Amino acid sequence: MKYYIIAGEASGDLHGSNLMKALKIKDPAAEFRFWGGDLMAMQGGTLVKHYRDLAFMGFLEVAMNLRTILNNIKFCKEDIRNNRPDVLILVDYPGFNLRIAKFAKELGIKVVYYISPQLWAWKEGRVEIIKKYVDEMMVILPFEEDFYKKHGVHSHFVGHPLLDAISTLENVDIEKFKKEHGLNEKEIIALLPGSRKQEVEKMLAMMLSVRPYFKEYQFVIAGAPSLPKEFYQHYVDDNVHFVSNKTYDLLRCSKAALVTSGTATLETALLNVPEVVCYRGSKISYAIAKRLVKNIKYISLVNLIMDREVVKELIQNDLNTNNLVEELKKILNTDKRFEVFRDYELLKEKLGGKGASENAAEVIVKI
């Protein structure tokens, strides 16, 4: 079969690549055409556009790049019409993908949504679009099944694909990792400032402001694959290092992490690293988001899934040096650290073990 996959972010590239791997087992004749990144490209097929050309965050940023976004939508529709896939697989990225779902459905192409948009948080009205234009909805968070059932939409809980990705990791040798990346003997605090340029610029300076209070540790920045190494160089010094494309290895060698809100918060938890979750948006974007988001107590996936505070979230004005220092000390040196480890085990149980990519591939091939 011919598969057309659209993933618009780094996390979508990871999950899309694992799904492609599973689809090739279920369907040896699989042909792929996709929007994604380097990980998906490694599975073969044709990369139409890289996600680095698609990633705009925040209401203000989207408005400023509206012409580019609309041109991408137009190009995508033409590409689908010209290539006529058997199935369109949409990976999260709702602002773009829901428009493409409508177009593909009207062409008579089967539409599968893998990794639901977070409609339970905001823009709940988009459920009606999914009812009309999506043939199969596959969800990766346990509470999403109930959300769709409430709206009369059948969905499949397939498990969380991050568990698949993490289960395949080989053991990492901490001393070897430090040597390979020019790190010293001190224990590591990992910094995950995000994957988009504007996000990293905003978050990294704040994360690094805690350095004077933790001189016994070294700080290591996890570089995003979508940003060049040169971008990070002015942040690096004798006790601040940079590692690119090795985020999972870095986390497994770290004692704690400061993490920008997003998929990385869940990745960090599944790798058993105590963390402080950080978020600060532009004043305009944050004000709009507060008006639109409904009844959501948390921003990190860890806390949302557990429905209670497992990891500390420092948001907007609460994200300052004093609070970061206080919370980081707790997860490094107090009983809070061991509470977090216990909660992480419960989190993994809630996510349903492993097999999400295989489960999703089976559903897709069947339709």
Side-chain angles (χ1 to χ4, degrees), residues 170-174 177 248-250 252-253:
E170 297 178 356
N171 291 332
V172 62
D173 183 320
I174 296 177
F177 178 84
Y248 283 3
D249 285 351
L250 169 61
R252 290 187 294 162
C253 294

Side-chain angles (χ1 to χ4, degrees), residues 217-228:
Y217 294 92
Q218 61 184 318
F219 292 82
V220 184
I221 302 165
S226 56
L227 295 173

Side-chain angles (χ1 to χ4, degrees), residues 7-46:
E9 298 174 305
S11 59
D13 180 37
L14 171 64
H15 303 325
S17 69
N18 285 324
L19 178 62
M20 289 165 74
K21 194 184 301 180
L23 282 168
K24 287 192 290 187
I25 295 170
K26 301 282 183 186
D27 178 12
E31 296 178 24
F32 298 109
R33 191 171 179 86
F34 56 92
W35 296 45
D38 299 340
L39 296 175
M40 292 174 74
M42 287 170 64
Q43 294 301 319
T46 302

Side-chain angles (χ1 to χ4, degrees), residues 219 248 297 316 339:
F219 292 82
Y248 283 3
K297 293 181 284 186
Q316 213 65 5
E339 288 175 22

Side-chain angles (χ1 to χ4, degrees), residues 156-227:
H156 304 264
F157 173 57
V158 294
H160 203 290
L162 277 179
L163 289 170
D164 288 353
I166 287 168
S167 70
T168 62
L169 296 176
E170 297 178 356
N171 291 332
V172 62
D173 183 320
I174 296 177
E175 295 309 314
K176 184 180 177 183
F177 178 84
K178 287 181 176 179
K179 188 175 180 180
E180 285 178 352
H181 296 282
L183 309 181
N184 58 47
E185 299 80 16
K186 294 179 181 178
E187 289 187 296
I188 296 169
I189 295 174
L191 305 179
L192 279 65
S195 60
R196 304 176 181 98
K197 183 180 177 182
Q198 65 205 44
E199 183 178 49
V200 174
E201 288 174 336
K202 192 172 292 181
M203 301 304 301
L204 199 45
M206 175 55 64
M207 290 177 173
L208 286 170
S209 71
V210 306
R211 283 181 299 166
Y213 303 89
F214 298 94
K215 292 179 180 177
E216 68 274 32
Y217 294 92
Q218 61 184 318
F219 292 82
V220 184
I221 302 165
S226 56
L227 295 173

Side-chain angles (χ1 to χ4, degrees), residues 49-87:
K49 270 191 183 287
H50 200 287
Y51 69 78
R52 73 169 70 95
D53 301 322
L54 310 173
F56 303 105
M57 62 171 291
F59 301 97
L60 186 61
E61 294 81 6
V62 168
M64 290 170 62
N65 291 281
L66 191 56
R67 178 174 291 183
T68 301
I69 293 167
L70 292 175
N71 284 339
N72 283 336
I73 290 170
K74 181 181 177 183
F75 175 79
C76 184
K77 289 178 178 179
E78 290 172 356
D79 197 52
I80 289 171
R81 182 187 284 113
N82 293 336
N83 287 277
R84 289 283 174 165
D86 296 301
V87 61

Side-chain angles (χ1 to χ4, degrees), residues 85 120 141 175 197 216 228-229 237 246 252 281 336 340 347:
W120 36 267
L141 300 173
E175 295 309 314
K197 183 180 177 182
E216 68 274 32
K229 184 178 179 180
D237 60 29
K246 292 286 182 181
R252 290 187 294 162
K336 173 66 176 175
V340 169
L347 172 72

